[in-house]
Amino acid sequence: MVNINAHQLGLLIDKTVGLIGGEYTVPLNGIRLDVDATHLYAVASDRYTLAVARYRLLHDDQGGQPFARLIPGEYLPSLREWISSQAGSTYISVSAADHYVEFGGTHTELRIGVEPDLAYPDWRGLLRTITEHTVDGEPFPALSASFMSRWAATGDNLRVRVTADKQAVLVFGEDFIGAQMPVRFAGVGPMKDETFDAVRRQWDKTLAAGADGLDMATDMTAEDDWPRHEVTKDVYETGEELLQQVLRSNVDVHNTPGRTTSPEFLAHITAAVHGWMAYRFLDALHTADPRFARAVVAEVADQLDSGEIGEFAWDAAKEAGHDPQKWHDEYEAHLKKREAEKAAAGAPAA
């Protein structure tokens, strides 16, 4: 068990909650509370970003039993609301059992169910590798987080160029260029260290426990229960894949034996037609509202990664006023009729 100021616990959650993974990536859909001998960490990642906020434990807590548990995303609003109900200066106890994490306040307690054996990336090793790739002596400007959030409105994948220390950082996007000035006080930490090497040393003991040579591009997706094929969330890449699907299916149509009669022929025709329809719809949507098109592509990518599109389609059909059960029954009857016709055609003559 560890103790933390209620205000500080709320701050840990606020700093990391915006970076948690989606509901279809269960191992990352939440904030991981990780305790070692000196700190309580809040860790969040969506596989593309990784954030860690920490709180130095009270002297009496240091040397306690380490633990790490993922607080599921669905419970984070309730936890944050409960923390807000405590006086900011109140100390909250945090303890972990096999299947729950318990938060103890002055008058109330909150218990949240967790999966104790849920795999999580080696965040210490990942960040350790990244910090070791950076060479001291390069520009190390401090950027205001509130200003950085303003670039989200561009909707682009932005390239960043650090020009010189205490000088503007350049930002490039699709038909877009911008710059952001660093803040006046560039220091980090209680001693206001200004060099990268000095700031990195603040985390040396924490990150030393991580493995060597990890890479976010590969080691964030190594778990077997994570998506094996990552669907792109980029509009242009999605359009490219759709057009490739149309052209590949068109080739398969002409190369299929028993054209016009085989199920493979009909499958390739369907894939080509639906691929072309999807591309035209996406192109029209992107022309009319690029921002909305990006949001739709990202949402669809998450749904495809989840592997539950059959359930989504069933629910969408019902919401649109259709009868998916009737469709299912009619298609089952069609398959049975086709099988009966095949059997009759293959039976020997009387």
Side-chain angles (χ1 to χ4, degrees), residues 4-145:
I4 179 173
N5 176 285
H7 171 75
Q8 294 294 335
L9 180 57
L11 195 59
L12 290 182
I13 293 176
D14 293 342
K15 285 182 175 181
T16 53
V17 68
L19 292 93
I20 68 173
E23 60 181 308
Y24 306 122
T25 310
V26 175
L28 299 179
N29 182 227
I31 291 177
R32 184 174 176 88
L33 296 182
D34 196 327
V35 174
D36 63 16
T38 57
H39 289 87
L40 166 62
Y41 305 90
V43 188
S45 176
D46 57 5
R47 291 193 292 162
Y48 308 103
T49 57
L50 174 60
V52 182
R54 70 181 181 183
Y55 170 82
R56 179 173 289 278
L57 298 174
L58 301 173
H59 179 73
D60 293 341
D61 288 327
Q62 295 184 11
Q65 187 67 31
F67 66 83
R69 299 287 190 276
L70 184 81
I71 307 298
E74 61 182 309
Y75 301 132
L76 290 174
S78 299
L79 173 59
R80 191 62 183 89
E81 184 177 352
W82 181 84
I83 294 172
S84 297
S85 70
Q86 311 295 313
S89 59
T90 300
Y91 275 90
I92 294 175
S93 62
V94 184
S95 57
D98 283 344
H99 296 284
Y100 65 84
V101 174
E102 185 172 274
F103 301 86
T106 304
H107 303 292
T108 60
E109 296 178 348
L110 179 65
R111 183 176 291 183
I112 295 178
V114 298
E115 296 184 35
D117 299 324
L118 193 64
Y120 200 82
D122 181 356
W123 60 269
R124 291 175 173 85
L126 290 167
L127 290 172
R128 172 184 172 184
T129 303
I130 295 171
T131 59
E132 290 173 349
H133 285 168
T134 306
V135 180
D136 192 24
E138 294 181 351
F140 188 46
L143 302 179
S144 168

Side-chain angles (χ1 to χ4, degrees), residues 294-315:
R294 286 191 291 268
V296 170
V297 167
E299 181 180 357
V300 171
D302 285 336
Q303 293 173 340
L304 293 175
D305 272 338
S306 75
E308 300 173 352
I309 56 175
E311 297 179 19
F312 293 134
W314 187 280
D315 293 339

